[in-house]
Amino acid sequence: MPRGHIRVRVASATDLPAILNLVRDTRQLVPHAIGGAHVRRAEPAMVNRYETLLEDENRTLFLALDDEEQVLGMAVASVEELSATVALPAVHVTNLVVGARHRRRGVGRVLLSSMVRYAEAHGIDHIVAGVISEDRETHRYLARIGF
């Protein structure tokens, strides 16, 4: 799938079923990162967590879609201070997720490029990516592309 066939848009409440399917799909890939017991405990609360996220005025959930509107991946952006001691604004990117069947096709890069455009549109020079410490694959990916 060439990158030209991936577009990014802001998610809405009607996207919740597709978002939940994506999250369930990708949780199967990283049991080492978040632990099987944690996933089982989190599952009942997952719907509520994503409903709350979609309603949160301080966060924006972006979806990567193909030409058929299939959800390929997602990322969440929020504008916060760079850190507790540095009072510069930064776009904090979390929940960078790409579906198992869509990895290594440019989806993550397109999502992160959208985060850069989001930061530029808000006049922000800094982007911070938050990743679970045990998620080595994501750490390597972000390092390869300059984070």
Side-chain angles (χ1 to χ4, degrees):
M1 169 188 326
R3 286 187 193 115
H5 296 284
I6 302 168
R7 68 180 186 84
V8 176
R9 69 164 170 79
V10 174
S12 70
T14 60
D15 295 309
L16 185 60
I19 292 166
L20 295 173
N21 286 337
L22 174 69
V23 171
R24 287 181 184 112
D25 176 48
T26 56
R27 281 189 172 172
Q28 302 305 313
L29 298 175
V30 289
H32 65 281
I34 54 180
H38 174 74
V39 170
R40 285 189 298 279
R41 282 195 311 269
E43 180 70 23
M46 187 169 56
V47 173
N48 186 39
R49 288 175 184 258
Y50 279 93
E51 286 174 338
T52 301
L53 175 64
L54 288 166
E55 294 170 3
D56 189 338
E57 294 177 5
N58 298 312
R59 290 185 172 81
T60 305
L61 194 152
F62 290 90
L63 296 177
L65 305 142
D66 64 12
D67 291 335
E68 287 82 38
E69 296 291 306
Q70 178 183 7
V71 174
L72 309 174
M74 71 178 187
V76 176
S78 59
V79 178
E80 303 171 33
E81 289 186 344
L82 189 59
S83 73
T85 59
V86 180
L88 293 172
V91 171
H92 288 251
V93 179
T94 60
N95 301 81
L96 176 62
V97 174
V98 175
R101 296 176 312 279
H102 309 293
R103 291 183 172 204
R104 305 203 189 292
R105 297 182 180 174
V107 176
R109 189 172 295 271
V110 169
L111 279 164
L112 288 170
S113 293
S114 292
M115 298 300 102
V116 171
R117 287 191 301 279
Y118 180 81
E120 289 171 345
H122 287 83
I124 297 172
D125 295 327
H126 304 283
I127 299 176
V128 176
V131 181
I132 296 171
S133 60
E134 293 88 0
D135 189 353
R136 292 181 181 156
E137 181 181 357
T138 304
H139 280 273
R140 288 182 188 126
Y141 173 73
L142 289 170
R144 276 194 313 270
I145 61 171
F147 276 81

